[in-house]
């Protein structure tokens, strides 16, 4: 197993190009399976989750080729509607292939995804929506046996929570449904808008993406499509947390300012100076971060749950007490005991509220990544800590951050990837 060795104390300076968004490329790769055509996708990050999605596409008969950060998918000869357990488990969010398979083949056989490090990750909203579109779903022995009775039909679907994945699965199933599909209380994340942009290019008419009501009107035909994936707003907050923890001034290129609207005021409240020129964002932080009285994670356009751990690393060194409420996932504080090993003073109350008593300095320690964003938070905390940190289980970070150590090393961090001793 690989681990990061990080020696804290170096300020970060320089500029870096922001990678494409993991949470955008994944549903769009699933959508490619439904078109039966060719898609040229640019700005695709090199991530283990993306490779897992490509493996699923190849398994069902798509031709997939990667040329640098461009991925070409030809699904014209796809014929498989089953995703075996091994492939389903490689990627937590593989359930988004369900809607695409139903669109293309009218049936699907996938493993019911289990929980993961951050929560139970139920899919009841996905399944009830698909059933309302005419899909018969039998849950037997951990498998989901799905078949459309007559045909997939549109409908009027109200979500009791603006679930990102459920919104995406409905959009993917609606690509070939008979008649219009209306999603009420849809997720409004930028990744939903990016998926809608891709669908509009390949022949589906999607309106309202980014708002709470989305309408999907299939045309019955799909066209070859070229699309550029949006930048990754959560990796942007990872870089912002790096400079907020270690100090310095960095320029992040190819950001979408609008996508960062929920994040910027919070980092400014913590003492970061942030400025923009076109698609470049300069973030600087010198001195001790300031506490943020109460931060709540919310669906977009609220503060993103994916940035919660990253921001906690910042305020763990703040002057004063910060309270962070995690309102999206029920087990998303697993980085807290690891940060406390580094000298932080954080306590969790009733599973979803963390009280962060800021300390003047963190110190290096042997810590373990428990999930993608928590692991990233430990790495940026280590850059601003005194001494050496060994961070294990960095495969979590490789799921969502491309070349994490190379990016931060280019900004001046003392970080290297090593094979764990004795392995
Ligand atoms: C997506 O997960 C993202 N993953 C997550 O990013 C992100 O944290 C999350 O949206 C929220 O923004 C991808 O896009 C691949 P949800 P998803 O459905 O779709 C409950 C990362 O680090 N829920 O919006 O699974 C669920 O339990 C990852 O990049 C149900 O109850 O999120 C959770 O509490 C982590 N029933 C809440 O909704 C359902 O059927 C939000 O889940 C579905 C969800």
């Amino acid at each position: 197993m690989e681990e990061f060795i990080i020696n804290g104390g170096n300020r970060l300076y320089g500029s870096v190009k922001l990678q494409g968004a993991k949470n955008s490329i994944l549903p769009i790769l699933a959508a490619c399976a439904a078109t039966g055509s060719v898609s040229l996708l640019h700005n695709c990050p090199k991530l283990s989750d993306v490779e897992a999605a490509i493996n699923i596409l190849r398994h069902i008969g798509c031709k997939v080729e990667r040329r640098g950060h461009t991925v070409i998918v030809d699904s014209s000869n796809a014929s498989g509607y089953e995703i075996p357990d091994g492939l389903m488990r490689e990627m937590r969010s593989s359930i988004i292939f369900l809607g695409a398979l139903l669109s293309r083949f009218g049936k699907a056989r996938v493993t019911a995804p289990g929980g993961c490090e951050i929560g139970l990750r139920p899919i009841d909203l996905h399944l009830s929506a698909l059933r309302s579109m005419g899909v018969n779903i039998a849950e037997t022995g951990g498998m989901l046996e799905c078949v459309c009775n007559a045909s997939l039909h549109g409908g009027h679907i109200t979500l009791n929570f603006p679930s990102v994945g459920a919104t995406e699965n409905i959009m993917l199933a609606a690509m070939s449904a008979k008649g219009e599909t209306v999603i009420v209380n849809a997720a409004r994340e930028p990744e939903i808008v990016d998926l809608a942009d891709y669908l509009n290019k390949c022949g589906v008419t999607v309106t309202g993406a980014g708002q709470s009501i989305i309408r999907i009107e299939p045309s019955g035909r799909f066209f070859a499509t070229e699309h550029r994936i949006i930048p990754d707003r959560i990796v942007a907050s990872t870089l912002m947390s790096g400079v907020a923890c270690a100090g310095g001034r960095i320029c992040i290129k190819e950001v979408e300012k609008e996508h960062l609207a929920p994040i910027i005021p919070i980092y400014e409240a913590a003492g970061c100076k942030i400025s923009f020129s076109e698609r470049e964002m300069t973030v600087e932080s010198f001195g001790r971060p300031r506490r943020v009285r109460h931060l709540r994670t919310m669906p977009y356009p609220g503060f993103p749950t994916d940035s919660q751990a990253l921001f906690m690393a910042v305020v763990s060194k703040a002057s004063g007490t910060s309270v962070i409420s995690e309102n999206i996932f029920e087990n998303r504080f697993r980085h807290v005991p690891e940060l406390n090993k580094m000298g932080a003073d954080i306590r969790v109350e009733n599973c979803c509220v963390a009280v962060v008593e800021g300390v003047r300095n963190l110190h290096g320690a042997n810590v373990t990544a428990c999930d993608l964003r928590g692991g990233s938070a430990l790495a940026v905390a280590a850059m601003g800590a005194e001494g050496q940190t060994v961070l294990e289980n960095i495969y979590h970070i490789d799921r969502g951050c491309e070349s994490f150590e190379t990016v931060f090393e280019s900004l001046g961090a003392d970080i290297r990837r090593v094979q764990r001793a004795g392995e």
Side-chain angles (χ1 to χ4, degrees):
M1 297 275 252
E2 295 178 313
E3 56 196 22
F4 283 152
I5 309 290
I6 301 167
N7 293 300
N10 293 9
R11 286 183 164 169
L12 304 184
Y13 292 98
S15 67
V16 66
K17 175 191 165 299
L18 190 53
Q19 73 175 59
K22 165 179 85 81
N23 292 346
S24 179
I25 179 66
L26 294 179
I28 289 175
L29 284 172
C32 290
T35 63
S37 183
V38 179
S39 295
L40 203 57
L41 306 174
H42 300 297
N43 202 30
C44 298
K46 296 177 180 175
L47 304 169
S48 50
D49 267 12
V50 173
E51 288 314 303
I54 289 173
N55 290 340
I56 290 174
L57 288 175
R58 287 180 175 141
H59 178 80
I60 63 170
C62 297
K63 274 196 313 191
V64 185
E65 185 189 345
R66 180 187 271 274
R67 293 180 195 155
H69 286 97
T70 293
V71 170
I72 303 145
V73 183
D74 179 352
S75 63
S76 48
N77 295 320
S79 59
Y81 59 87
E82 289 193 43
I83 303 177
D85 187 46
L87 286 180
M88 281 294 285
R89 292 191 181 283
E90 265 184 40
M91 179 181 70
R92 180 19 253 161
S93 54
S94 42
I95 194 64
I96 44 162
F97 278 86
L98 180 52
L101 291 176
L102 290 166
S103 245
R104 181 69 186 275
F105 304 113
K107 53 187 176 181
R109 191 168 191 274
V110 300
T111 313
C116 73
E117 304 83 7
I118 63 174
L120 291 171
R121 309 299 287 273
I123 57 169
D124 55 305
L125 300 178
H126 301 238
L127 301 186
S128 54
L130 293 173
R131 285 185 170 115
S132 74
M133 295 174 78
V135 184
N136 187 317
I137 302 174
E139 301 175 62
T140 46
M143 293 302 290
L144 297 176
E145 307 274 355
C146 309
V147 63
C148 297
N149 302 324
S151 65
L152 213 49
H153 60 75
H156 201 282
I157 300 164
T158 298
L159 293 173
N160 65 24
F161 181 86
S163 155
V164 170
T167 301
E168 291 165 347
N169 245 332
I170 297 166
M171 291 168 73
L172 294 172
M175 287 170 74
S176 307
K178 282 202 179 352
E180 182 185 51
T181 300
V182 180
I183 310 172
V184 179
N185 195 24
R188 298 175 52 190
E189 275 72 1
E191 293 77 27
I192 299 289
V193 178
D194 206 26
L195 175 59
D197 289 348
Y198 169 81
L199 294 179
N200 277 313
K201 287 177 188 171
C202 71
V204 185
T205 302
V206 183
T207 53
Q211 298 306 316
S212 294
I213 298 180
I214 301 178
R215 295 176 184 280
I216 304 108
E217 185 72 61
S219 66
R221 292 185 56 203
F222 294 105
F223 308 105
T225 302
E226 187 163 7
H227 183 77
R228 181 175 183 80
I229 303 298
I230 58 171
D232 193 313
R233 59 197 171 97
I234 307 303
V235 171
S237 69
T238 306
L239 292 159
M240 294 165 76
S241 288
V243 75
C245 288
R249 177 188 301 110
I250 66 170
C251 174
I252 307 173
K253 298 181 177 180
E254 296 198 20
V255 301
E256 282 293 345
K257 182 177 182 180
E258 181 201 338
H259 299 170
L260 298 173
I263 293 172
I264 288 166
I266 304 298
Y267 278 78
E268 287 176 331
C272 290
K273 269 203 204 132
I274 298 171
S275 58
F276 279 87
S277 71
E278 300 196 355
R279 299 187 72 210
E280 294 190 1
M281 174 170 71
T282 299
V283 186
E284 68 176 74
S285 175
F286 295 102
R288 193 173 179 188
R290 288 199 297 265
R291 69 91 175 257
V292 167
R293 197 175 296 279
H294 191 179
L295 176 70
R296 297 171 181 82
T297 64
M298 300 297 282
Y300 195 90
F303 189 89
T305 173
D306 293 347
S307 299
Q308 175 258 108
L310 294 156
F311 191 73
M312 189 185 287
V314 176
V315 291
S316 63
K317 290 203 306 183
S319 47
T321 305
S322 306
V323 175
I324 298 178
S325 299
E326 172 53 60
N327 297 310
I328 306 296
F329 289 107
E330 70 274 18
N331 191 29
R332 207 166 195 178
F333 283 145
R334 298 185 64 190
H335 45 282
V336 168
E338 302 303 305
L339 283 170
N340 286 339
K341 285 178 190 170
M342 299 173 71
D345 179 2
I346 307 167
R347 68 180 188 279
V348 173
E349 294 176 351
N350 63 55
C351 101
C352 297
V353 175
V355 179
V356 184
E357 304 291 353
V359 296
R360 183 163 290 283
N361 282 307
L362 298 180
H363 57 73
N366 289 355
V367 290
T368 301
C370 301
D371 57 69
L372 162 57
R373 309 302 177 187
S376 305
L378 294 170
V380 296
M383 292 173 202
E386 292 171 343
Q388 183 173 93
T389 293
V390 178
L391 174 58
E392 297 176 352
N393 286 2
I394 58 173
Y395 62 87
H396 287 294
I397 297 175
D398 293 334
R399 285 190 41 230
C401 296
E402 179 177 340
S403 308
F404 185 94
E405 73 279 15
T406 310
V407 167
F408 277 103
E409 206 174 15
S410 74
L411 295 170
D414 180 348
I415 176 174
R416 66 187 193 281
R417 179 188 293 253
V418 299
Q419 194 66 29
R420 190 163 171 202
E423 284 189 346

